[in-house]
Amino acid sequence: MSKVTQPRRAQFKTLSYATIIGVALSSAPAMAQNANDSADEGKNIIVVTAQFREQNLQDIPLAITAVTGEMIEAKSQTNLQQVADTAPNVAIRPQGASFGPSVTASIRGVGQNDFNPAFEPGVGIYIDDVYYPQLTGAIFDLLDVDRVEILRGPQGTLTGRNSAGGAIKFFSRKPTGDNSGFVEATYGSRNRIGLRAAADFGLTDNLAMRISGVFKEQDGYVDRIDYGCENPTSGIPSTNAGGGDCVVSKLGGIGYQALRGIMQWTPSDRVELTVSADYVKDERTIAGEVLLNTGPVPAPNTANNGVPLSNNFICGKFCNYSTTGQPGIVWQPALEVAPGVFIDPLGAAGTVLSATSGTDQSKYTGWGVSANLKIELNDWMQLTSITGYREFDTEFFTDDDLTPIHTNFGRNFLTNESFSQELRLNLEPTDGVNVTLGGYYFEQDSVYDSFQDIRYVSVFPLQFRQPDPTSAEAKAVFANVGWEVTDLLTINVGVRYTDESKDQTYFRLNLDGTVNRFVDPVGAANGIGSPGALSGNTAHYSADRLDYRVAVDYRFSDAFLGYASVSTGFKGGGTNPRPFNADQLIPFNPEKVTAYEVGFKSDLLDNRLRFNGSVFLNDYTDLQIPVNACPGAPCAARFNAGDAVVKGVELELSAEPVDGLLIDGAVSYIDQKLKEGSLNPAAAIPPFGTNPGGVDPSDPPTVPKWKANLGMQYKAELGDSGSITPRLDFTYQAKQYTGPDTSVTPRGRTFLPSFTTLNGRLTWRNADEDLDISLEVTNITNEYYFLSRFNLLGAGGGFDKALPARPREWALTVKKKF
């Protein structure tokens, strides 16, 4: 089909090996390539499609981390989070139990930490060029992956949507019809069992199919303990009817199954149709969080047999006392809400709250189908159609405080379906000119049906169901032109016009379907949809936007490419999806960014050293931030805080100093500052104004200021006995801002502490290279660190909790190719 653009470089021999050492010490790596044949000029060619056509990674004026399936395997990586850990200024993290099977995703400080479908992710995730619209279920297993491309910086003109921070693209191995395949089995720590397999076969001369699957199980690593059983004199009754062991279950387990089928039909040398389908089932215990701190809870409805919430319920590094429900009670307000001020709102005293119950299980089921059709209309014109449909549903339960004290329990159900269609017309009207014209359509329908039993609020009872539907639609047209002005100079210009809309309808209901009078008194009195009611109210958001990108690259030598670019992007707006009264229907505008980037790409010393770098400055308007204080209490809203400047540096390295020795790594730095004169008075930051939300976003959210990683492996040939390859991977991340904490100071902030990890892998491969036996150890030093944190002390929730990473684990894997 389309041809790879050949690299405009040969070999360059101007740096000394001393320079290699200096670069390796001052930077760090991120490249994925098998480089055993040093003399082969094409050995380092990684083909990517970021600019709508197949190009060499080193010829694109864009910061990209491209990782092949071979390097993913060498690093013992099995999911998206692990790949993101090696990319500069990229953070993908699993969320705690309160957010279900979802992730936080951020590139260069732009992203999202809330799975609610009313929010836009800010980082576009694509599976074989089909957009995945949610953060739920986004810790993808790297099942039979050909490569992963991580594009940093706004991709508004190059990808479907929601890529203001960047885009992550998965590309599956396509069928070739060569009757090949593999089978892989793993056993490891805590009864870890893993099975992977793939088969590639030809059905006819022009029809091939590839089927792959994965099965993974592992016991959890955080003990859920029955507090009353372990502390029989505490006054809190045990729920362990069987007695004996007080450990009820192991949280943070794995129970994952996936199947993918891809069929490729090439009826002629000008037509290629690829159809794929996949199915995922993820059933496991919820994320294993631990309690870090507690605070005062003013409501008198939370104590268990008179025992209040306190630090006595802090369990340890890998355990908690969470429960799976809350008893029915007669709600009583905290009469004295301020010195001398007493309240009994809406006659709430004596209101009966129903008992709530659930499980400690998280369930996710998803599937999708897609079709990619390419037609070579003539020698200089190609038409591409990309059609995709995806659907998932998930169910999870949360005891937010992780104790037997009854502050907050939730039952959560989320369904989502989406459809997308993209058309591209690629033209090469003359040598050195590549034009892409296209159109894009996307629609999504979600229902987030949540039942909340919140008892830490002293003003009125909060026990309600919120089956809120959200629908979204986006349409776009785009154009991109690449012009090789000379053999050395290339200019790329792209534009995209987007028109998008979103509707969310709110319901705040009792269990019997009637309107809840405490959250929605107007709706309870006058009916759903009545003026001023929350229930039946539909918040509408719409916006249109013209984004552009201009990039210029210059080939200074065969080995060195420099580039500069300016691009724009945006993250869509909307309305607060979690209002606790009608006054909290607070809209927020799109977050807009203009990004400036200067970078270089180099292949030096006979292609033994690849060294890429970039410096960027992102100028933001209407930065979106979460707040936990707004009209009424509690609150979980978004505000446009104002404008901000984010700047950073990224370096990537890959080297083969001698045959068989591979070194790869990366280092990055990022800094964010709010523009003082731009602050929104509604969400102003001290000392510049009042701060209702306790927010100080002077740190980039969901990404650490510093990241570094370094990997080394050496393939030792053993003749007829095959080869043995040891590998070590080092990762460092600085502390990471996760949100406000006003429990101590108005400008308090919450962070994840810094951490350093070391992973190792030893692989023996037979002489025919069709049998591998690998021993891996992850987190060799048994570093204790956190992946996410949820702090509601400032909001009166009474808890600060975190999700610890997995302790040291080992696994033995056998893989047979055929």
Side-chain angles (χ1 to χ4, degrees):
M1 304 304 291
S2 60
K3 297 180 180 179
V4 177
T5 303
Q6 292 300 313
R8 293 174 287 140
R9 66 185 191 283
Q11 299 178 344
F12 190 59
K13 301 181 178 179
T14 58
L15 293 185
S16 66
Y17 280 97
T19 304
I20 296 180
I21 298 172
V23 169
L25 293 176
S26 63
S27 67
M31 171 182 158
Q33 193 65 28
N34 187 347
N36 291 328
D37 299 324
S38 304
D40 181 4
E41 181 181 347
K43 69 170 186 175
N44 282 338
I45 293 180
I46 302 178
V47 177
V48 295
T49 55
Q51 294 186 142
F52 301 123
R53 63 188 190 276
E54 294 181 339
Q55 293 178 278
N56 183 353
L57 171 70
Q58 295 299 92
D59 286 338
I60 296 182
L62 183 65
I64 305 177
T65 298
V67 188
T68 65
E70 290 76 15
M71 185 57 77
I72 287 171
E73 181 178 347
K75 293 183 176 182
S76 303
Q77 296 170 339
T78 61
N79 60 50
L80 173 58
Q81 174 210 329
Q82 295 164 333
V83 172
D85 281 345
T86 64
N89 281 325
V90 178
I92 307 291
R93 287 283 181 264
Q95 281 280 41
S98 300
F99 295 85
S102 68
V103 302
T104 64
S106 178
I107 298 179
R108 291 182 173 177
V110 183
Q112 186 59 262
N113 58 5
D114 196 322
F115 71 92
N116 195 293
F119 293 129
E120 302 299 337
V123 171
I125 299 177
Y126 298 83
I127 304 173
D128 295 328
D129 279 329
V130 174
Y131 177 59
Y132 188 88
Q134 292 291 308
L135 296 176
T136 297
I139 283 284
F140 298 110
D141 184 90
L142 302 176
L143 171 62
D144 208 20
V145 141
D146 177 68
R147 72 185 186 280
V148 177
E149 298 177 12
I150 301 179
L151 287 61
R152 303 187 297 277
Q155 305 300 314
T157 64
L158 296 173
T159 58
R161 66 189 308 262
N162 281 324
S163 302
I168 300 173
K169 295 186 173 184
F170 293 81
F171 293 92
S172 307
R173 294 188 188 276
K174 290 185 177 181
T176 62
D178 61 358
N179 298 318
S180 64
F182 72 88
V183 176
E184 177 185 287
T186 299
Y187 182 80
S189 300
R190 298 192 315 280
N191 297 317
R192 174 181 169 182
I193 298 174
L195 297 172
R196 293 172 182 269
D200 192 317
F201 46 91
L203 301 175
T204 67
D205 290 342
N206 55 22
L207 182 63
M209 186 170 186
R210 188 175 182 92
I211 298 176
S212 54
V214 60
F215 171 87
K216 299 190 297 186
E217 277 192 354
Q218 188 178 22
D219 295 339
Y221 61 100
V222 173
D223 292 339
R224 184 168 76 88
I225 299 174
D226 184 325
Y227 186 85
C229 172
E230 189 174 74
N231 301 274
T233 63
S234 64
I236 293 180
S238 171
T239 59
N240 188 3
D245 188 358
C246 296
V247 176
V248 180
S249 61
K250 300 279 190 178
L251 304 181
I254 294 175
Y256 187 92
Q257 305 165 56
L259 185 67
R260 175 183 294 137
I262 302 178
M263 186 175 295
Q264 189 168 77
W265 181 46
T266 52
S268 72
D269 59 358
R270 289 186 176 272
V271 178
E272 177 184 281
L273 174 63
T274 304
V275 178
S276 65
D278 63 84
Y279 173 81
V280 175
K281 184 176 183 180
D282 185 359
E283 292 190 4
R284 53 184 169 82
T285 51
I286 59 176
E289 297 173 295
V290 297
L291 189 63
L292 302 180
N293 196 14
T294 62
V297 179
N301 312 285
T302 58
N304 188 338
N305 275 12
V307 180
L309 182 65
S310 73
N311 282 353
N312 290 334
F313 296 102
I314 295 177
C315 180
K317 286 187 173 182
F318 292 106
C319 61
N320 66 43
Y321 297 117
S322 62
T323 59
T324 56
Q326 299 189 150
I329 63 168
V330 176
W331 192 89
Q332 296 293 333
L335 296 179
E336 188 173 7
V337 296
V341 179
F342 295 85
I343 189 170
D344 185 4
L346 302 176
T351 299
V352 175
L353 297 184
S354 300
T356 54
S357 62
T359 70
D360 60 5
Q361 299 293 303
S362 170
K363 299 180 180 180
Y364 170 92
T365 302
W367 62 276
V369 293
S370 66
N372 189 313
L373 174 63
K374 296 179 181 179
I375 304 175
E376 299 280 357
L377 301 176
N378 53 45
D379 291 340
W380 57 276
M381 185 181 301
Q382 180 191 72
L383 179 66
T384 300
S385 170
I386 303 170
T387 307
Y389 177 84
R390 298 208 64 86
E391 185 175 311
F392 72 77
D393 63 82
T394 185
E395 165 189 325
F396 60 96
F397 304 85
T398 62
D399 177 26
D400 280 344
D401 57 79
L402 304 180
T403 76
I405 306 306
H406 312 302
T407 67
N408 190 3
F409 185 79
R411 303 198 309 242
N412 301 273
F413 304 89
L414 173 62
T415 62
N416 184 90
E417 58 180 337
S418 60
F419 169 82
S420 63
Q421 174 64 55
E422 183 167 355
L423 288 174
R424 301 175 190 165
L425 183 64
N426 282 36
L427 311 169
E428 192 174 355
T430 185
D431 288 344
V433 176
N434 291 275
V435 180
T436 301
L437 305 174
Y440 179 79
Y441 176 77
F442 171 83
E443 65 178 16
Q444 173 185 354
D445 290 293
S446 302
V447 178
Y448 178 34
D449 189 350
S450 171
F451 178 77
Q452 298 297 318
D453 187 2
I454 303 173
R455 303 185 182 183
Y456 64 78
V457 177
S458 63
V459 181
F460 49 74
L462 285 176
Q463 189 180 70
F464 59 89
R465 183 185 167 205
Q466 47 182 31
D468 295 352
T470 300
S471 60
E473 184 181 62
K475 294 168 283 188
V477 292
F478 55 89
N480 193 81
V481 179
W483 177 30
E484 292 187 14
V485 183
T486 70
D487 289 341
L488 303 178
L489 176 66
T490 301
I491 299 174
N492 278 274
V493 179
V495 293
R496 179 183 290 258
Y497 173 77
T498 302
D499 187 340
E500 66 177 20
S501 62
K502 184 190 309 173
D503 291 306
Q504 180 174 9
T505 302
Y506 302 89
F507 296 96
R508 297 297 180 266
L509 309 176
N510 298 311
L511 286 175
D512 62 3
T514 60
V515 177
N516 185 286
R517 66 191 180 101
F518 302 110
V519 181
D520 187 9
V522 175
N526 302 320
I528 292 176
S530 58
L534 179 55
S535 298
N537 190 319
T538 298
H540 177 74
Y541 154 79
S542 62
D544 60 347
R545 167 85 175 174
L546 181 66
D547 285 307
Y548 66 88
R549 173 178 177 260
V550 179
V552 178
D553 65 82
Y554 187 81
R555 178 63 64 180
F556 289 91
S557 73
D558 289 338
F560 191 91
L561 175 79
Y563 70 88
S565 68
V566 56
S567 56
T568 65
F570 76 104
K571 182 169 69 172
T575 301
N576 176 19
R578 294 190 177 92
F580 291 90
N581 56 56
D583 292 334
Q584 291 186 2
L585 287 175
I586 303 168
F588 55 95
N589 295 321
E591 179 180 287
K592 300 174 283 291
V593 60
T594 301
Y596 306 89
E597 181 175 328
V598 177
F600 66 89
K601 297 187 175 184
S602 62
D603 285 296
L604 312 172
L605 300 173
D606 291 339
N607 282 346
R608 286 190 178 272
L609 172 66
R610 172 166 292 176
F611 185 40
N612 297 343
S614 58
V615 178
F616 65 90
L617 186 149
N618 292 349
D619 192 353
Y620 284 95
T621 304
D622 289 334
L623 189 70
Q624 296 173 6
I625 60 172
V627 298
N628 56 24
C630 50
C635 175
R638 286 289 192 277
F639 279 103
N640 294 108
D643 304 337
V645 173
V646 178
K647 50 191 175 182
V649 180
E650 300 162 346
L651 298 171
E652 297 183 280
L653 169 74
S654 180
E656 188 184 12
V658 297
D659 290 351
L661 174 62
L662 298 180
I663 303 171
D664 61 277
V667 65
S668 61
Y669 172 78
I670 189 171
D671 182 66
Q672 175 174 299
K673 297 295 181 186
L674 284 168
K675 296 180 181 179
E676 181 175 332
S678 72
L679 297 175
N680 178 357
I685 314 302
F688 314 124
T690 60
N691 181 22
V695 179
D696 185 356
S698 57
D699 287 285
T702 67
V703 66
K705 280 195 170 185
W706 284 99
K707 279 186 67 178
N709 63 276
L710 181 65
M712 301 178 65
Q713 71 180 55
Y714 180 73
K715 183 178 181 180
E717 298 290 350
L718 304 177
D720 292 340
S721 298
S723 65
I724 189 166
T725 304
R727 180 177 178 89
L728 287 175
D729 285 285
F730 156 89
T731 300
Y732 167 78
Q733 292 194 19
K735 70 176 184 179
Q736 178 177 316
Y737 173 71
T738 59
D741 178 10
T742 58
S743 61
V744 179
T745 67
R747 296 189 68 184
R749 292 177 288 169
T750 298
F751 292 89
L752 297 177
S754 63
F755 65 86
T756 302
T757 61
L758 183 65
N759 298 333
R761 184 182 179 100
L762 182 65
T763 301
W764 172 82
R765 182 173 292 118
N766 70 349
D768 292 335
E769 297 199 340
D770 60 2
L771 176 64
D772 297 355
I773 301 176
S774 301
L775 174 65
E776 67 178 74
V777 181
T778 54
N779 195 4
I780 292 174
T781 60
N782 212 23
E783 179 90 349
Y784 186 73
Y785 63 101
F786 299 131
L787 299 176
S788 64
R789 189 170 178 179
F790 188 27
N791 187 338
L792 277 187
L793 294 176
F799 66 85
D800 178 10
K801 63 178 181 176
L803 174 63
R806 294 178 176 275
R808 179 171 51 236
E809 297 180 351
W810 65 269
L812 181 67
T813 298
V814 178
K815 181 176 182 178
K816 173 63 178 176
K817 301 176 183 177
F818 56 87

